[in-house]
């Protein structure tokens, strides 16, 4: 089973996305895979942004969140704490692909 986390941030979506892309994304893209990150999806919402993360395990997600560089990127971004955070430890993954090319 995979570990799924979903969190939202309230605020101006364009500003939140810009800060995430500038500060967090480069660090996440480099460090998260070694901790079992499978995918991350972020989208603007009417209230701010939502991010859905899929990890191989909750332990890997927790280890990533303790990485000093990830903690510094979060601090540098000035992003607010999530307004909601949900965790699901027994997520099932089904991947659909367009096999027609």
């Amino acid at each position: 089973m995979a570990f799924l986390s979903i969190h939202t941030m309230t605020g101006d979506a364009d500003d939140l996305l810009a800060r995430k892309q500038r500060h967090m994304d480069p660090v996440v893209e480099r460090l998260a895979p070694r901790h079992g990150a499978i995918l991350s999806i972020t989208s603007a919402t009417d209230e701010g942004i939502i991010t859905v993360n899929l990890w191989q395990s909750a332990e890997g997600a927790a280890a990533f969140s303790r990485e000093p560089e990830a903690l510094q990127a979060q601090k540098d971004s000035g992003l607010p704490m999530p307004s909601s955070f949900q965790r699901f430890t027994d997520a099932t993954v089904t991947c659909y692909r367009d096999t027609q090319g």
Side-chain angles (χ1 to χ4, degrees), residues 8-86:
T8 60
M9 289 183 191
T10 303
D12 178 84
D14 291 335
D15 176 57
L16 295 170
L17 288 170
R19 288 193 274 161
K20 177 187 172 296
Q21 290 168 347
R22 185 177 329 114
H23 297 281
M24 294 301 300
D25 288 356
V27 174
V28 172
E29 289 170 8
R30 189 166 29 79
L31 298 180
R34 75 174 75 148
H35 293 289
I38 298 170
L39 66 86
S40 181
I41 301 167
T42 300
S43 179
T45 68
D46 290 340
E47 294 82 29
I49 63 173
I50 184 170
T51 299
V52 178
N53 294 313
L54 185 64
W55 298 82
Q56 291 175 358
S57 70
E59 295 79 16
F64 169 77
S65 69
R66 292 188 301 267
E67 282 275 358
E69 195 173 349
L71 293 169
Q72 187 62 48
Q74 173 67 34
K75 182 178 176 183
D76 293 345
S77 73
L79 288 167
M81 294 300 295
S83 50
S84 70
F85 199 97
Q86 296 176 289

Side-chain angles (χ1 to χ4, degrees), residues 95-101:
C95 185
Y96 301 100
R97 297 179 188 253
D98 178 7
T99 58
Q100 301 301 314

